[in-house]
Amino acid sequence: MIKRLLSTNLAWRMSGLTYLTAVIATNGYYVNKGQLIRIGKEENNTLLKYLDKSRNLLEFGSGIGKNLIAISDHIKFGYGIDINPYYCRIAKILTKRFGIQNLLFFRYDGKSFPSLPKFDIIYENGVFERLPKEAVTHYVETLRKDFLSVGGMMILYFLNENAKHIGFTKRLGDSAYVFWTKEEITDLTTRLGLKQIDVHEWPMAYVYVLSDSDTLKSYFPHF
Ligand SMILES: C[S@@+](CC[C@H](N)C(=O)[O-])C[C@H]1O[C@@H](n2cnc3c(N)ncnc32)[C@H](O)[C@@H]1O
């Protein structure tokens, strides 16, 4: 019963009222603000090679801003969008607290995306793990069509079976999460015409680096 309650949209949303509850909901356990950004830097370390001071990045489901704040020195501008207005509010407070000037956070209703420019890089981390696979397909397709620059890159995190039966899924139970196999991800990305540049195997997830076209090489010359 408690598990079911915790996994509802309402509980997800209410957790954004304070930093304490928001950090537990988005990070899995409590850490203070400095530790949160350090964790963000560690987690995103292997992705830094795809970033560039001349490139803009959109994070889908940016939560309280852990990733964007952690990589803010490595991009030109970062936008975060999230369905939870309270998380966006905390992300803005943290951004100010760390003196960061190149990030913006927007809430939206999960359906109509806010009016945003095109981005060189679109990043998702920890969002698809709670969404049905059809919804993920829809989001990847829409984000690519409406917000990815020609030749741009998508970096997408998919929870995999390694996350089953461990501390990470214990609080809500495995059934609250959606796990992906490599075959399913390849099927999705191939159907959408995305090319695989790299696959990173993180402890609980596959992180796919994808390009929307053959022009990636001229866009990101080091690939
Ligand atoms: C586990 S948190 C991860 C937050 C952040 N990406 C990180 O790594 O710290 C998942 C986030 O996805 C957001 N989210 C859930 N459904 C979403 C949707 N349909 N569109 C955008 N964000 C969504 C939640 O509000 C939450 O902030």
Side-chain angles (χ1 to χ4, degrees):
M1 175 66 183
I2 293 214
K3 274 184 184 174
R4 204 172 314 142
L5 194 69
L6 282 172
S7 66
T8 60
N9 279 342
L10 183 66
W12 190 240
R13 182 159 295 211
M14 297 313 283
S15 67
L17 287 175
T18 65
Y19 173 79
L20 172 76
T21 48
V23 76
I24 292 171
T26 58
N27 186 57
Y29 54 95
Y30 177 78
V31 285
N32 69 33
K33 298 173 178 107
Q35 288 166 329
L36 181 75
I37 305 313
R38 271 198 296 284
I39 290 172
K41 284 185 192 291
E42 273 163 33
E43 278 181 10
N44 287 287
N45 195 31
T46 52
L47 303 179
L48 294 184
K49 63 179 175 175
Y50 308 111
L51 309 183
D52 188 305
K53 283 284 237 184
S54 68
R55 304 292 179 208
N56 289 336
L57 180 146
L58 171 68
E59 185 180 6
F60 174 71
S62 43
I64 59 174
K66 174 179 76 178
N67 300 316
L68 279 174
I69 293 173
I71 62 174
S72 59
D73 281 350
H74 300 269
I75 54 176
K76 185 175 178 193
F77 217 93
Y79 284 52
I81 55 171
D82 202 287
I83 54 167
N84 190 321
Y86 303 117
Y87 291 170
C88 293
R89 193 180 127 261
I90 294 173
K92 285 178 195 167
I93 293 170
L94 291 180
T95 301
K96 211 167 162 194
R97 182 195 167 116
F98 287 104
I100 294 163
Q101 312 255 329
N102 62 342
L103 301 180
L104 287 174
F105 294 90
F106 300 90
R107 59 96 28 143
Y108 84 116
D109 61 7
K111 296 188 188 90
S112 314
F113 279 95
S115 170
L116 298 172
K118 296 257 181 183
F119 292 89
D120 306 308
I121 302 164
I122 293 179
Y123 182 32
E124 170 276 331
N125 181 338
V127 186
F128 295 168
E129 67 199 31
R130 299 282 300 279
L131 296 178
K133 288 182 177 160
E134 307 75 57
V136 170
T137 306
H138 164 75
Y139 282 126
V140 175
E141 196 167 16
T142 307
L143 288 166
R144 179 217 178 160
K145 181 164 63 70
D146 295 344
F147 300 110
L148 190 65
S149 300
V150 174
M153 186 185 268
M154 297 184 98
I155 304 177
L156 306 177
Y157 170 113
F158 296 86
L159 196 70
N160 67 28
E161 303 248 327
N162 296 338
K164 277 190 176 169
H165 319 304
I166 59 166
F168 177 78
T169 54
K170 208 168 149 200
R171 194 158 41 101
L172 299 179
D174 285 347
S175 61
Y177 293 88
V178 179
F179 304 93
W180 288 76
T181 64
K182 280 188 172 174
E183 290 70 29
E184 287 172 321
I185 303 166
T186 298
D187 182 54
L188 166 74
T189 55
T190 309
R191 265 190 290 129
L192 299 181
L194 289 161
K195 294 188 172 51
Q196 290 181 12
I197 309 299
D198 267 334
V199 182
H200 293 260
E201 304 216 0
W202 285 7
M204 294 185 300
Y206 301 122
V207 179
Y208 275 65
V209 183
L210 305 152
S211 135
D212 83 321
S213 78
D214 292 325
T215 56
L216 180 80
K217 281 219 179 308
S218 57
Y219 219 67
F220 292 89
H222 47 303
F223 285 102

